[in-house]
Amino acid sequence: MASDELLGDMAALLLLPPPPSVRFEQFKDAYESSLSTVFEKLAHDLNGVNGIAILDIAITIPGLLSQSSEPRAKIFPSLQHYLANMYRLIGIVSAEHNIELDAPDGIDARVIFIDNPAASAERSEAPRHGPIVNLQTLAASARLWNWIYYPDNDAGKELAATFDGIYSKTKDVNAGTLHPLSGSPTWSSSEHLLFLERDSPLTPHYSVAVGGTFDHFHIGHKLLLTATAMALEPVEEFDPIPERMLSVGVTGEALLKNKKYAEFLESWEERCQGAVSFLMAIMDFSPPDKSAPRIERVTQPGPNGHYILLKIRSGLTLKLVEISDPFGPTITDQSIDALVVSAETRSGGAAVNDERAKKGWKSLDVYEIDVLHSGEVPSTDGESFASKISSTDIRRRRMEMAAAQ
């Protein structure tokens, strides 16, 4: 389960300075031009290649790595809004330009967050994994981007210069260079991009869970899994709590027989592969000398006994569990302390806590993520933004393609 077999073949990084605010209209005004230009460039280079271009999108949020932003639960509400904004914008841009996402001749876009060195200097050690990293960790990682883009405005140039000061000393001889994006707008960023929502839990979480089918992996899945990784406390040196666990419940095939176009469902292993590859892409920013993750496959009797353990690094493990009911490992693993849900599955979080209460277990903190709105985007050649974030529509298209052959 390699994190990025294609990374280096056709891969780009888009460095973005801080957004003007969390409001989507302002967020879109600031970033749409840069994102559209990069999407068009990658789509043009893909023409006839029959491959997928990888695009890492790094959004700068000052203060992410300061002590005032601890624990992660404190900043989760703010970050999930920015995360949903960017994936919404990715969907809009791809639909408007008729560019595929996560499919041959398309773009695999992933969103992470970065803090600048000055903000992270308060800490003795920056977090050792994403999706929140400092600029130095990103620049010194083992990733080989063909192109590194940034907005050609004052904030973008300053961010690019800081990045290149690290990158130019550590990059591989085959690594790409930095490219400004002309015509980028100029905006002022709010001093208070991180805010605390009322009634937000402030407990650090060391074992976080999420569940889903994860069929034909798309940006809705990316939003959900990135949010789950954001809710997990980062691994740090000399940490008294040595292990972090991110559990992903992946629906077993027995529960999917009545799904529409079930014959085009991916296997459980394929769906796990999609989830793991993505999580590695947003969490593993190791330097070039880091060894490959250790994988263990387990099959035991009883519920949730079939799972895959993936040791990303010391102190951080991914667990992919085959689930056969709506609750998954949340009612068989007492150590799980938080659950991430979408607005559509809000009731599932309450049901999980009801079941845990029956066992006398502590309730989970439940984190809800925004919905990806798509109504404002017109269809393009019969395909809309909504169809790009629906596994059912993706399977339908696969069926239609098979029938046409």
Side-chain angles (χ1 to χ4, degrees), residues 72-87:
R72 284 275 175 90
K74 188 175 182 179
I75 59 174
F76 182 92
S78 300
L79 279 191
Q80 77 88 17
H81 288 312
Y82 294 117
L83 182 68
N85 279 352
M86 181 51 75
Y87 276 118

Side-chain angles (χ1 to χ4, degrees), residues 355-391:
E355 291 297 313
R356 288 177 68 95
K358 293 176 185 177
K359 294 172 172 280
W361 292 1
K362 181 181 180 294
S363 293
L364 302 180
D365 283 334
V366 179
Y367 293 88
E368 185 178 315
I369 61 170
D370 291 343
V371 174
L372 292 180
H373 300 285
S374 58
E376 74 274 24
V377 187
S379 296
T380 305
D381 293 337
E383 300 296 343
S384 68
F385 175 10
S387 72
K388 295 175 183 289
I389 54 174
S390 166
S391 295

Side-chain angles (χ1 to χ4, degrees), residues 28-41:
K28 182 174 182 285
D29 288 344
Y31 291 152
E32 184 175 22
S33 172
S34 296
L35 190 64
S36 293
T37 301
V38 172
F39 262 52
E40 288 182 314
K41 287 177 180 290

Side-chain angles (χ1 to χ4, degrees), residues 11-61:
L13 170 65
L14 174 58
L15 292 169
L16 293 174
S21 79
V22 75
R23 290 182 56 226
F24 180 72
E25 293 76 14
Q26 292 183 311
F27 189 97
K28 182 174 182 285
D29 288 344
Y31 291 152
E32 184 175 22
S33 172
S34 296
L35 190 64
S36 293
T37 301
V38 172
F39 262 52
E40 288 182 314
K41 287 177 180 290
L42 292 177
H44 177 268
D45 290 333
L46 274 171
N47 188 27
V49 174
N50 196 34
I52 297 177
I54 290 168
L55 175 61
D56 288 325
I57 301 171
I59 304 174
T60 307
I61 306 287

